[in-house]
Amino acid sequence: MGVAILGTTAGIILGNYYLHQAHEQEEDAIAQFEMITNLQIEALQLRAHSQEFVTTLSQPERLNEEYTHFVKHYQSFKQIWFEFRDFAATKGEEETHLNGEVEAINKFLKTYQGVPEAYIQKVDILLERVNLQNLKSENVEILRPQLIEFGESSSVAKIDYFCEDLTELTEMTHEEYKQAEATILAAEVLRLQLIVVSMVVSVLIAIVLVISTSRAIARPIQILTQVTKQSIQESNFDLEAPVNTEDEIGILATSFNQLIFSVKQLLEQQQKANKQLEIYSQTLEDKVEARTQELSEKNNYLQQLLEELHRTQVQMLQSEKMSALGQMVAGVAHEINNPVNFIHANLSYVQEYAQDLLKLLQHYQKYYPDPPEALQQELEGIEIEFLVEDFTKILKSMKIGTNRIREIVLSLRNFSRLDEAEIKAVDIHQGIDSTLMILHHRFKLNQDRPEIQIIKEYSQLPLVECYPGQLNQVFMNLLANAIDALEESNQGRTFKEITINPNIIRICTMITANNQVMISIADNGLGIPEAIATKLFDPFFTTKPVGKGTGLGLSISYQIVTEKHRGKLWCDTAPFQGTKFVIEIPVHQCKS
């Protein structure tokens, strides 16, 4: 019994020690992962809102909102950074032999030593400059280059690398957490094995001792042998060997009787121990199952957190690209619009002056029908009649050209919608037409195919509350995909064959019974196979060659329609039957 108790106790103590170490490793891994992940998210949010300052300086309401978000994420970033730095220092002091993770954190801190502090110092200076209470319209243009200088500073650039290296630390801490999970499960199994093995070995040792002792004394003493056989055959340990003498045989019989009694007690204790072990095993299985479920839930939570972080990075990248594109488009449109308006306005005066000069010339010809021979030769040389006719045509074509440029500039400004980042009631048809104007160079006739026919089936729609710029981005993605599908269907077809069966894009709008606006964009291309159609809205999924498609267009469009506008976006397609994308959004957006 002593061997069994000592062995079982040692097994429990050793198993609990390994289990405790595994739990501490898991808790450290979760704390590090959450701290590094939150630090990266706050840094990315801080960068994003600092960039929005430039575009919102002329919009007080949005500037106040961006300033509030910026200060909130800035405070969180400072707090988490100092906690992370202190945590890393404490972790390094506690570890006698540094593992790979601690070495990576120390290397990261050494690489970016002073970088967050320098960035925090620049942000403090920036917050002193951006004083919204004393900000006046005349100070906006002074503050704008300061904000741009802040965004282009070396400290901000280093923070971008700082965020990228944090991703590697996040993946490393996630791997450590998985190792901690495996260690916990192994410790649970080891603990159970130690307990069971120690008890079984102790009982076997006791049984072996009983059998060997019985065999050693059974030969010389026949009566003891018979009693032993009967006890074993009948499993009756209430039998006693008779004690007739007080010599060694009597002492041996007495000892034998005591041994039988001890075996009886041992078996009773063994039965009790087996019952307790069975109960404990069942309880342990329940605990292992519960712990496994808990670990699975934590793993799912961490997986969701990683996916959210990745999606936030993709959204931030796309937002920065669209913001830069919108600023460039607005700037180009502004720079083109001024000289074009000047030319267009002056063309009317040029046309009027030209008519006056032509009238004056006609009067000269009327009153001087026979000019001198030298003047007559000069008039015949310059072909005055052709000049009068062609000059009028040139002025008319110049006016048509300037009108065309003004329409393109207006379409670019309507498409970018930099001044309409909030929900606004707009004309959906105007957004579609602006997108078509921008893509006109892809519709028109070229050497490989005739012009793509655009069929508009517009219904009478009310003004729709939406994010105009983002919705125009959806129209751009869907129309560009339709053009790509038609160009793919033209491969192997001649110009004449395409003319007989022309490329068509049909755009339909309507209002549904439940006050929803439905916009459909359909092409008569080759359609999409069913295996691919189920993955169209997955991020980074694309069938286009490398360098031509990123796989983000439809995914971002789906997010804009479903999350930003609480609508639906789906695809109706079949092989060789064309493809139709349908957008359905409410006329009025609910205020959240």
Side-chain angles (χ1 to χ4, degrees), residues 77-186:
F77 173 77
K78 285 204 303 184
Q79 180 181 357
I80 296 174
W81 165 247
F82 291 129
E83 289 177 358
F84 172 69
R85 190 179 60 183
D86 297 338
F87 176 83
T90 305
K91 187 73 175 177
E93 294 175 358
E94 292 177 354
E95 296 288 342
T96 56
H97 299 287
L98 296 179
N99 55 28
E101 178 198 359
V102 177
E103 290 179 355
I105 293 176
N106 290 337
K107 182 179 178 181
F108 174 81
L109 291 175
K110 184 176 180 181
T111 302
Y112 293 99
Q113 183 177 6
V115 171
E117 287 79 4
Y119 181 75
I120 291 172
Q121 184 177 5
K122 279 191 170 292
V123 172
D124 289 334
I125 296 174
L126 177 65
L127 291 176
E128 291 179 1
R129 294 176 178 175
V130 183
N131 189 350
L132 297 182
Q133 295 180 353
N134 298 328
L135 184 63
K136 299 180 181 179
S137 59
E138 56 268 22
N139 296 331
V140 169
E141 296 303 322
I142 299 176
L143 185 58
R144 189 185 302 275
Q146 295 177 355
L147 290 174
I148 295 175
E149 180 182 1
F150 169 76
E152 297 175 350
S153 64
S154 61
S155 298
V156 175
K158 291 179 180 179
I159 284 294
D160 291 338
Y161 294 110
F162 175 84
C163 294
E164 293 177 359
D165 289 347
L166 277 176
T167 303
E168 299 180 359
L169 291 180
T170 303
E171 296 175 353
M172 183 177 294
T173 53
H174 186 253
E175 290 298 325
E176 184 189 17
Y177 172 74
K178 290 183 178 179
Q179 295 176 2
E181 289 182 345
T183 304
I184 289 174
L185 293 177

Side-chain angles (χ1 to χ4, degrees), residues 427-429 432 456-462 507-512 517-518:
D427 183 0
I428 291 294
H429 295 155
I432 298 174
K456 301 179 183 178
E457 297 178 356
Y458 290 170
S459 300
Q460 187 68 28
L461 298 181
I507 306 173
C508 303
T509 63
M510 62 178 295
I511 188 82
T512 63
V517 173
M518 183 179 293

Side-chain angles (χ1 to χ4, degrees), residues 330-577:
V332 171
H334 178 73
E335 293 298 328
I336 294 176
N337 198 40
N338 287 337
V340 168
N341 285 337
F342 174 77
I343 295 172
H344 184 77
N346 286 330
L347 280 177
S348 299
Y349 297 107
V350 171
Q351 190 172 14
E352 182 180 348
Y353 298 158
Q355 294 296 330
D356 292 340
L357 290 175
L358 293 176
K359 289 180 181 179
L360 180 61
L361 181 59
Q362 291 175 356
H363 284 298
Y364 269 101
Q365 290 177 340
K366 179 179 179 181
Y367 291 105
Y368 296 96
D370 298 320
E373 182 178 355
L375 180 58
Q376 183 66 32
Q377 292 178 355
E378 185 68 25
L379 291 175
E380 291 176 355
I382 64 176
E383 298 180 357
I384 189 65
E385 294 181 356
F386 171 78
L387 187 146
V388 170
E389 180 181 356
D390 194 50
F391 186 63
T392 303
K393 293 180 180 179
I394 290 174
L395 289 176
K396 185 180 295 184
S397 63
M398 290 174 66
K399 196 165 186 179
I400 293 173
T402 55
N403 280 327
R404 174 68 176 166
I405 295 174
R406 293 176 69 192
E407 290 175 357
I408 294 174
V409 169
L410 180 60
S411 298
L412 289 173
R413 297 181 64 183
N414 288 336
F415 180 78
S416 62
R417 296 278 192 176
L418 287 177
D419 55 342
E420 298 177 6
E422 300 297 333
I423 292 179
K424 184 178 181 181
V426 298
D427 183 0
I428 291 294
H429 295 155
Q430 185 184 37
I432 298 174
D433 292 340
S434 298
T435 307
L436 291 173
M437 178 68 72
I438 294 173
L439 293 173
H440 182 264
H441 67 286
R442 298 195 63 187
F443 297 139
K444 64 183 182 180
L445 169 73
N446 58 39
Q447 62 181 2
D448 297 325
R449 58 160 175 79
E451 182 178 3
I452 297 176
Q453 298 182 16
I454 305 298
I455 300 177
K456 301 179 183 178
E457 297 178 356
Y458 290 170
S459 300
Q460 187 68 28
L461 298 181
L463 296 180
V464 179
E465 295 180 356
C466 63
Y467 294 93
Q470 297 185 19
L471 202 57
N472 288 344
Q473 183 182 353
V474 175
F475 296 151
M476 175 70 76
N477 288 333
L478 297 183
L479 287 170
N481 285 343
I483 298 171
D484 292 339
L486 292 175
E487 290 181 347
E488 182 180 356
S489 68
N490 290 334
Q491 294 181 3
R493 301 170 63 197
T494 63
F495 194 96
K496 183 178 180 181
E497 290 174 343
I498 300 174
T499 304
I500 296 173
N501 186 15
N503 299 144
I504 298 175
I505 295 179
R506 188 182 304 273
I507 306 173
C508 303
T509 63
M510 62 178 295
I511 188 82
T512 63
N514 56 350
N515 203 25
Q516 301 274 326
V517 173
M518 183 179 293
I519 307 111
S520 66
I521 300 175
D523 63 71
N524 61 341
L526 297 177
I528 302 174
E530 183 178 357
I532 297 177
T534 58
K535 302 178 182 179
L536 284 178
F537 301 111
D538 293 347
F540 304 107
F541 175 78
T542 179
T543 59
K544 297 178 181 179
V546 177
K548 190 174 181 180
T550 62
L552 291 175
L554 288 178
S555 175
I556 293 175
S557 299
Y558 184 82
Q559 182 181 2
I560 290 173
V561 174
T562 58
E563 296 183 11
K564 290 288 187 179
H565 295 87
R566 297 181 176 88
K568 300 177 183 178
L569 174 60
W570 70 90
C571 175
D572 185 7
T573 182
F576 306 103
Q577 299 297 323

Side-chain angles (χ1 to χ4, degrees), residues 268-326:
E268 291 176 352
Q269 292 176 358
Q270 182 182 0
Q271 290 177 355
K272 293 180 180 179
N274 288 337
K275 291 181 180 180
Q276 292 178 355
L277 180 61
E278 184 178 355
I279 296 173
Y280 182 77
S281 297
Q282 184 63 36
T283 305
L284 184 61
E285 289 178 0
D286 294 339
K287 290 182 178 179
V288 170
E289 184 178 357
R291 185 59 180 169
T292 302
Q293 180 66 25
E294 181 182 353
L295 293 176
S296 178
E297 293 176 355
K298 288 184 179 179
N299 189 38
N300 291 335
Y301 168 73
L302 293 176
Q303 187 67 29
Q304 292 175 0
L305 193 61
L306 282 173
E307 291 177 356
E308 181 180 356
L309 175 62
H310 184 63
R311 189 173 68 174
T312 301
Q313 290 175 333
V314 173
Q315 291 175 349
M316 292 295 299
L317 179 62
Q318 186 66 16
S319 177
E320 290 182 1
K321 287 182 178 179
M322 291 305 299
S323 177
L325 177 62

